[in-house]
Amino acid sequence: PSGTTHKLLTDTERQARADEIAAAKAKRETAERAGHAAAARKAQEEWDKAPLAKADNPYLAHKHVQPHGLRVGTWPVPNTLIVPMLDDKGQITGLQFISPDGGKLYLKGGCKGFYIIGGPPRVDSDGIMRIAIGEGFASLATAHKETGICCIVAFDKGSLMRVGEIFRGKYPDAVIGFVADNDQFAKDGS
């Protein structure tokens, strides 16, 4: 506005403000790391106590896929699948819960990682290592069923690039493809 004057900061004042901002950022990051660590511990505890899922789980049966090592729990409803979210060291950092009707929830505070279907990537008989990466468990379980290759669940489209970069770093010679969901015409989301 007209007539407003602005005071220029001295170098000392500018540095003091920069130091305040840096300190606030460091405090926020420390709290975030502590929250992620607590969520990872909770995720590991929940995973360890949950029994293995069976192929007759309602969601798996509806999708015509195998459990591939998932667990099953009772939260938020009975027969909820539990999918671990792993970091690049193979540690559980969070959990995804898939209810029998396909609803998905995540453990609060957990970090999104990935889940491997079909074991670690391996070189096929033709000398090529192939890896498929996509969003959801059922899509990737279907891709594995059809191809037999290692399939990686990234959980959402925002994680595809990050997960792709992790696997490119681990397996620089692999052929990596992305599996797209096509739910556009499905009335029941299958």
Side-chain angles (χ1 to χ4, degrees):
S2 178
T4 302
T5 59
H6 299 282
K7 177 185 170 206
L8 296 176
L9 298 176
T10 67
D11 289 344
T12 304
E13 291 170 325
R14 268 195 305 279
Q15 185 60 51
R17 291 239 174 118
D19 291 347
E20 288 173 18
I21 291 169
K25 180 180 178 186
K27 183 178 179 181
R28 194 171 51 250
E29 289 172 352
T30 298
E32 187 175 278
R33 278 192 303 275
H36 289 324
R41 284 190 300 276
K42 171 108 172 116
Q44 187 67 59
E45 290 169 10
E46 292 295 319
W47 179 254
D48 289 343
K49 72 181 182 182
L52 286 169
K54 296 180 179 160
D56 65 352
N57 173 277
Y59 179 80
L60 297 173
H62 174 72
K63 296 292 188 171
H64 307 288
V65 295
Q66 295 299 307
H68 295 287
L70 297 188
R71 306 281 173 101
V72 67
T74 58
W75 183 87
V77 296
N79 290 314
T80 294
L81 290 173
I82 304 172
V83 187
M85 300 172 138
L86 307 174
D87 65 13
D88 59 350
K89 295 172 186 70
Q91 300 298 308
I92 295 177
T93 59
L95 298 173
Q96 180 187 55
F97 302 95
I98 305 175
S99 64
D101 67 2
K104 295 174 180 73
L105 296 171
Y106 296 93
L107 179 70
K108 184 178 180 182
C111 292
K112 285 188 182 165
F114 56 83
Y115 184 67
I116 300 173
I117 296 173
R122 63 188 179 286
V123 176
D124 292 332
S125 59
D126 61 2
I128 299 172
M129 177 183 288
R130 293 175 177 86
I131 301 171
I133 301 172
E135 293 179 47
F137 175 82
S139 296
L140 277 295
T142 300
H144 176 70
K145 179 172 70 172
E146 296 300 321
T147 65
I149 67 173
C150 173
C151 292
I152 312 297
V153 179
F155 296 100
D156 61 38
K157 66 183 175 185
S159 299
L160 290 172
M161 184 67 73
R162 180 181 52 78
V163 171
E165 289 170 350
I166 289 170
F167 280 85
R168 173 57 65 218
K170 287 178 170 260
Y171 305 100
D173 296 328
V175 173
I176 298 177
F178 290 88
V179 176
D181 287 349
N182 184 9
D183 298 334
Q184 180 180 1
F185 301 108
K187 291 184 176 141
D188 66 352
S190 61

